[in-house]
Amino acid sequence: MTHTLGIEFGSTRIKAVLIDEAFRPVASGDYTWKSDLRDGVWTYDLEEAWNGLRTALRALGEISVDAMGISAMMHGYLAFDKDWNLLTPFRTWQNTMTGEEAAELTELFGFNIPQRWSIAHLWHAIRAGEAHVGKLAHITTLAGYFHYMLTGVNAVGIGEASGMFPIDSETLDYDRGMMEKFDRLIAEQPFTLRDLLPQVLPAGVPAGKLTAAGAARLDGLLPEGIVFAPAEGDAGTGMTATNAVGPRTGNVSAGTSIFSMVVLEHPLQKVYPEIDLVTTPTGRPVAMVHCNNCTNDMNAWAGVLRETAELFGSSVDTGELFTKLYRKSLEGEADCGGVMVVNYLAGEGVTHLDEGRPLVLRRPDSRFTLANFLRAQLYSTMATLKIGMDILADEHVRMDALLGHGGLFKTPGVGQKYMAAACGAPVTVMESAGEGGPYGMALLAAFVLQGGGETLEAFLAKHVFADAVRTTLQPDPADVEGFRTFLDQYKACLRVEQAATENL
């Protein structure tokens, strides 16, 4: 029996998912971690990442693996010297210190460069004269780093690469003209951009094998020789996990961050700072609305409520806690009874805020109940996304299907119901929605084994999702109106959020 393994370094969990030849998850393991704010920079410790990976693999038990792949949170900046020694702590997608550089590159290229993209971080480091630039030999992403350390192949999947530097949809490689413009910008440096970036590979192409050194880094939990798929970001694996890789399909991935991916039929007419242009794992153009803040604030409040229960001697299972809180929110009013939450722990590019301060606001006449508060929390997880999605609607971007996956959709009928109201469109969730990215990475590993006989779209549609169990919820008119009221207030309260960042 054939088994493939997907590993993902997510924002809150490092997770491994093993699937069988029928593409069903048969084993999983995980490790919980979180980013740290060190000297004003959001980062994760790489040694903890290795420990977390080994922990997740041990939880799988004794397994056989025919192919595997690495996925991770997209974007950010990992800088290495020629011997692959880390030169500066990993700078994650949460950081918003590259605003000037991102704006300069957007103007230079005529193409939106978000703050979290690797090229924005590189230009920031060069402009700031950071000491590590003089030793710089490689930049990559978190997925690219682990892929190289396990296989010795310095390459990433095209979807992951598209969050480092713009991709040419014709050549399926970094855009040559834009690279030449950047090289002129850094003419005094001893390297070119091509020297620094990893190779670009499309889905389905073998991307190396687990080396003896890589197997040793994993404490022998996996044998050397396992074939690897190209490393992909959580956006690409999310599209794969929801069968949203063809034109007019879209998906929403919702966990610590939230983002939508819509596969485009035609180019956008304008350059929007709120919209990233990336690709599917096979290189199709995609409009991405990425928001840094999703469930982190809700998770913090769940912790406070757990502590409250423990005061009365109750021990609460984490999964049960979230399920009950999510379901309780359904009892709230459609407009949350006047309760307002702004869930920004980090800055938010879509609303042009460089820092975040979580807020709970209410008028004296609001109905401050647990249900309304929880509903406001969950509305806030998708409010900023909706602001970006409205831009795509104005561009006449059409979707035949919107699929949800990630932790926000794990409790049946809750996040899905609110997302349908927010987008004003039916939202489908598959049985595997809670698995998300690592499941999608396992599917991309299985796609490598099929040998290139089909497109990724055909492979997923015919073999993986033809009989998938799925539920679709239509938007409820009352919820649509309630969310619209909430969003209008949310936008107004961003002035309060700005004041909070300046004064707290």
Side-chain angles (χ1 to χ4, degrees):
M1 179 175 284
T2 301
H3 291 92
T4 58
L5 176 64
I7 293 166
E8 184 162 274
F9 294 85
S11 304
T12 57
R13 286 193 302 169
I14 299 168
K15 189 169 184 181
V17 171
L18 187 74
I19 65 174
D20 62 17
E21 59 191 9
F23 313 109
R24 297 169 301 199
V26 294
S28 65
D30 65 6
Y31 174 87
T32 300
W33 69 337
K34 64 183 181 67
S35 57
D36 295 315
L37 188 62
R38 300 180 192 169
D39 300 322
V41 175
W42 288 102
T43 188
Y44 290 85
D45 181 74
L46 293 188
E47 279 307 309
E48 183 182 7
W50 282 107
N51 291 333
L53 173 56
R54 289 187 285 263
T55 299
L57 290 176
R58 286 191 188 98
L60 298 176
E62 292 190 15
I63 57 172
S64 63
V65 179
D66 299 280
M68 62 184 291
I70 301 291
S71 177
M73 57 191 98
M74 283 182 73
H75 313 121
Y77 181 74
L78 277 161
F80 300 90
D81 67 13
K82 62 182 178 61
D83 298 315
W84 286 86
N85 297 304
L86 185 66
L87 297 175
T88 187
F90 170 37
R91 298 173 184 179
T92 78
W93 52 270
Q94 293 170 291
N95 289 291
T96 51
M97 80 275 278
T98 63
E100 289 185 20
E101 292 80 10
E104 286 181 7
L105 294 177
T106 296
E107 183 175 356
L108 178 67
F109 298 151
F111 185 101
N112 181 41
I113 303 295
Q115 290 198 49
R116 63 189 174 279
W117 278 27
S118 306
I119 189 62
H121 282 282
L122 173 63
W123 182 222
H124 174 80
I126 293 172
R127 281 191 63 201
E130 294 189 28
H132 79 268
V133 173
K135 301 178 182 178
L136 196 58
H138 309 285
I139 64 171
T140 191
T141 62
L142 190 60
Y145 162 73
F146 274 93
H147 184 90
Y148 175 77
M149 289 296 167
L150 294 173
T151 68
V153 176
N154 184 20
V156 295
I158 191 169
E160 177 77 335
S162 70
M164 298 187 74
F165 193 83
I167 293 292
D168 183 330
S169 59
E170 297 295 324
T171 65
L172 300 184
D173 197 0
Y174 302 115
D175 188 288
R176 181 178 299 177
M178 294 184 195
M179 291 186 82
E180 290 173 352
K181 288 182 179 180
F182 189 78
D183 284 341
R184 288 194 288 271
L185 201 61
I186 62 168
E188 296 180 0
Q189 298 297 327
F191 50 74
T192 67
L193 185 56
R194 177 70 73 175
D195 295 333
L196 302 181
L197 290 171
Q199 181 186 358
V200 181
L201 296 175
V205 174
K209 296 181 179 181
L210 183 61
T211 63
R217 293 294 299 263
L218 301 178
D219 290 348
L221 292 165
L222 295 174
E224 63 178 292
I226 298 173
V227 175
F228 269 67
E232 265 300 346
D234 49 2
T237 55
M239 285 187 279
T240 305
T242 55
N243 192 24
V245 294
R248 294 171 66 105
T249 61
N251 81 93
V252 175
S253 174
T256 305
S257 64
I258 185 169
F259 54 86
S260 63
M261 309 287 292
V262 182
V263 185
L264 297 175
E265 294 180 285
H266 54 77
L268 301 183
Q269 297 301 306
K270 299 178 183 177
V271 175
Y272 298 95
E274 302 88 353
I275 307 295
D276 301 5
L277 293 176
V278 292
T279 78
T280 68
T282 57
R284 289 188 180 277
V286 173
M288 179 183 192
V289 180
H290 185 285
C291 308
N292 289 342
N293 301 279
C294 187
T295 60
N296 255 348
D297 193 38
M298 177 67 182
N299 296 346
W301 279 101
V304 169
L305 295 171
R306 177 204 292 278
E307 285 187 50
T308 305
E310 289 171 349
L311 287 175
F312 296 89
S314 297
S315 177
V316 182
D317 174 78
T318 300
E320 185 180 10
L321 173 68
F322 279 95
T323 297
K324 286 187 177 296
L325 293 178
Y326 274 52
R327 288 179 176 164
K328 181 68 178 178
S329 74
L330 294 172
E331 300 173 18
E333 297 169 61
D335 64 353
C336 306
V339 179
M340 175 55 52
V341 171
V342 180
N343 64 329
Y344 290 1
L345 272 80
E348 198 59 82
V350 170
T351 49
H352 313 292
L353 287 163
D354 290 335
E355 296 182 67
R357 301 290 187 273
L359 299 175
V360 179
L361 305 113
R362 57 192 177 98
R363 299 188 306 270
D365 62 343
S366 65
R367 291 163 297 283
F368 190 52
T369 65
L370 178 61
N372 279 337
F373 169 68
L374 293 173
R375 190 160 179 142
Q377 274 287 349
L378 293 174
Y379 274 13
S380 75
T381 65
M382 54 194 72
T384 308
L385 181 81
K386 170 61 173 173
I387 294 171
M389 292 289 280
D390 284 345
I391 295 172
L392 296 183
D394 291 341
E395 278 270 357
H396 306 290
V397 173
R398 300 179 66 85
M399 289 181 293
D400 294 330
L402 183 63
L403 297 106
H405 73 107
L408 185 66
F409 299 103
K410 203 163 187 177
T411 301
V414 182
Q416 184 182 7
K417 174 182 174 71
Y418 300 152
M419 187 63 68
C423 295
V427 174
T428 297
V429 172
M430 297 190 191
E431 198 173 51
S432 57
E435 300 292 353
Y439 176 67
M441 192 67 243
L443 292 177
L444 289 172
F447 184 56
V448 170
L449 293 181
Q450 65 92 39
E454 296 177 297
T455 64
L456 180 60
E457 293 96 312
F459 170 73
L460 295 176
K462 289 167 57 179
H463 305 296
V464 181
F465 294 111
D467 300 315
V469 177
R470 66 194 79 198
T471 59
T472 299
L473 288 185
Q474 302 289 334
D476 180 279
D479 290 342
V480 171
E481 185 58 36
F483 189 89
R484 184 179 295 116
T485 299
F486 177 90
L487 186 64
D488 288 343
Q489 294 174 344
Y490 188 92
K491 292 176 181 176
C493 286
L494 292 177
R495 292 192 293 272
V496 182
E497 176 72 13
Q498 179 66 55
T501 65
E502 294 168 356
N503 294 282
L504 180 62

